[in-house]
Amino acid sequence: MAEEAILGFLQNHEQIPDSGQFAAEHNLDHNDVVNVIKSLHGFGYIDAQDIKRETWVLTDEGKKYAAEGSPEVQLFLAVPAEGSVPKDELQKKLDPSVFKIGCSQAGRNKWVEMGKQVSRKVQHVEDKVKGLLLQIQEGKEIGKDSISALKARKLIVPQTWKGYSVKKGPNYAPKRKKVATDLTRENLQRGDWKDLEFKEYNFNAKGQPVEAGHLHPLLKVRKQFKDIFLQMGFEEMPTNNFVESSFWNFDALFQPQQHPARDSHDTFFLKAPSTTRTLPEDYVERVKRVHEFGGYGSRGYAYDWKREEANKNLLRTHTTAVSSRMLYALAQKPFAPKKYFSIDRVFRNEAVDRTHLAEFHQIEGLVCDRGLTLGDLIGVLQDFFSRLGMSKLRFKPAYNPYTEPSMEIFSYHEGLQKWVEIGNSGMFRPEMLLPMGLPEDVRVIAWGLSLERPTMILYHIDNIRDLFGHKVDLNLIKQNPICRIGI
Ligand code: PHE
């Protein structure tokens, strides 16, 4: 319809000066006209020039008053022609916002006398506001002062109207020629290919999206972290056991058996197999002793350590379980300094909300060497986090059962303009390291953080369920950039 109208009109006219007017005169929808103009322009049937006009449209409030009358008139009409009405009674008759705005506008217009009683000061009022709003709604022009007044009351907002002026183009024809997009077998058989006009190739058209595998944002960020550790000379620990015994997850870390984290409210215990089969017996004996009586300068926890508790299988609650196994293995050989890291999944019996899931990923680093100090820990953390683009760090004393001293790590987030907690760290306690058999002057500095948190910050995701789990939009994974760490 629109296409015939435009091409037909241009047959006997120089131009269409304004697509808006044209649409109105021909009873066409302006959007349809615009679409046809774009398409005809693309094929050179017509030339089109943009026209822009500032127009005004009604806000929701404006639309309401255009339909129901302005609040001041609604209020005026609710006041009796003779006598007066108590103000609170008037209030009950009207919508709260109509009453509030109506009072102030009708008062300003000197239409009513406002006091405890409200009465009319004039006989008749005219609803100018409604009239003006209706005019705007019909696309009519109104005076500048009226525009400012309606704008100030937020009854109208500006809107840019876009349309076109149109002339004949180089390929103008009163009717669009059908162009062939394919050369078919039938065209060849019939021989009509000789007369067909073929559509030009559009080399600017976007291709089909490639159906291929895509890395999840967590994997991309994990790769960056892994590269940073490798650049710093760290070796990756084997983390391929989600199931761990309480012994390696807690006891070896000098975490007492009554610790609340060892409760089923916080930890997922396994039903089958519910217990571990083997543990290094002599080491278990030393761990039991350090929990019960201490040693190595410690008083221990002075409680009855139970083997059954240590045997219980669980889904590991932190990757520090892996670190404890690795340090124990290291202690069984002549000592050599080590730098280890791991990035893998851990599980906690958490209430799920926008920042917590029952499974997430931890990044953990540790350095094991003779004579390390807290200064070394701070230095390594500074080096590590600077490589992520976070060089403003602060540390806050904290508590972990297996580290002393312990520090929470904070980084200044330029975007959020505040200090945000980014990790936890500390020096492993002698009660953990010495029963393993590590030499007395060996210290281990370590830190841990979640992989999800930096990933959410980097990818501007504020709900963890949009990042991980069954509610994730696959387009997030297909369309996200490679990684944006450190910028
Ligand atoms: N395991 C700690 C946690 O779960 C992190 C940590 C690792 C703390 C190493 C100190 C040293 O949060």
Side-chain angles (χ1 to χ4, degrees), residues 292-449:
E292 291 186 336
F293 312 113
Y296 321 100
S298 168
R299 292 199 295 186
Y301 292 119
Y303 73 97
D304 243 346
W305 186 88
K306 294 221 168 56
R307 175 63 182 260
E308 306 81 72
E309 204 53 50
N311 282 348
K312 284 184 184 168
N313 279 336
L314 44 74
L315 292 178
R316 69 173 173 226
T317 63
H318 52 183
T319 44
T320 317
V322 178
S323 304
S324 69
R325 275 181 182 271
M326 290 300 282
L327 287 169
Y328 171 77
L330 197 64
Q332 307 319 301
K333 292 179 286 187
F335 181 72
K338 281 285 178 196
K339 293 196 273 190
Y340 283 141
F341 79 95
S342 64
I343 310 174
D344 210 341
R345 200 172 295 192
V346 299
F347 307 84
R348 292 186 190 171
N349 197 356
E350 298 248 26
V352 172
D353 64 24
R354 59 195 299 113
T355 53
H356 293 91
L357 290 178
E359 53 188 304
F360 62 101
H361 297 79
Q362 276 191 333
I363 303 168
E364 182 151 325
L366 67 87
V367 184
C368 175
D369 203 349
R370 296 183 192 272
L372 293 176
T373 65
L374 193 67
D376 291 301
L377 175 58
I378 291 175
V380 173
L381 292 176
Q382 196 72 53
D383 184 6
F384 176 77
F385 285 102
S386 298
R387 290 167 192 258
L388 295 167
M390 301 184 226
S391 38
K392 265 196 205 167
L393 296 186
R394 270 186 182 172
F395 304 99
K396 180 174 154 188
Y399 174 78
N400 295 307
Y402 37 90
T403 54
E404 184 59 35
S406 312
M407 304 187 301
E408 279 169 5
I409 312 160
F410 287 77
S411 154
Y412 190 74
H413 192 289
E414 299 293 345
L416 302 174
Q417 298 264 314
K418 63 173 184 186
W419 291 93
V420 291
E421 196 198 324
I422 50 171
N424 185 1
S425 67
M427 301 186 69
F428 284 136
R429 297 184 75 108
E431 291 97 324
M432 164 182 168
L433 300 180
L434 294 175
M436 288 176 171
L438 284 166
E440 235 179 275
D441 59 345
V442 166
R443 306 279 178 272
V444 180
I445 56 180
W447 71 99
L449 61 148

Side-chain angles (χ1 to χ4, degrees), residues 215-225 343 361 363 388 390 449-464 466-468 476 480-485:
L215 289 177
H216 189 280
L218 284 172
L219 294 178
K220 294 188 227 181
V221 177
R222 184 180 73 170
K223 171 77 166 70
Q224 298 288 312
F225 274 104
I343 310 174
H361 297 79
I363 303 168
L388 295 167
M390 301 184 226
L449 61 148
S450 91
L451 176 62
E452 279 74 3
R453 188 151 176 164
T455 307
M456 285 169 70
I457 295 175
L458 288 165
Y459 286 87
H460 302 294
I461 296 170
D462 64 357
N463 188 335
I464 197 163
D466 294 335
L467 175 69
F468 192 80
L476 167 96
N480 261 316
I482 294 172
C483 190
R484 292 181 296 211
I485 235 168

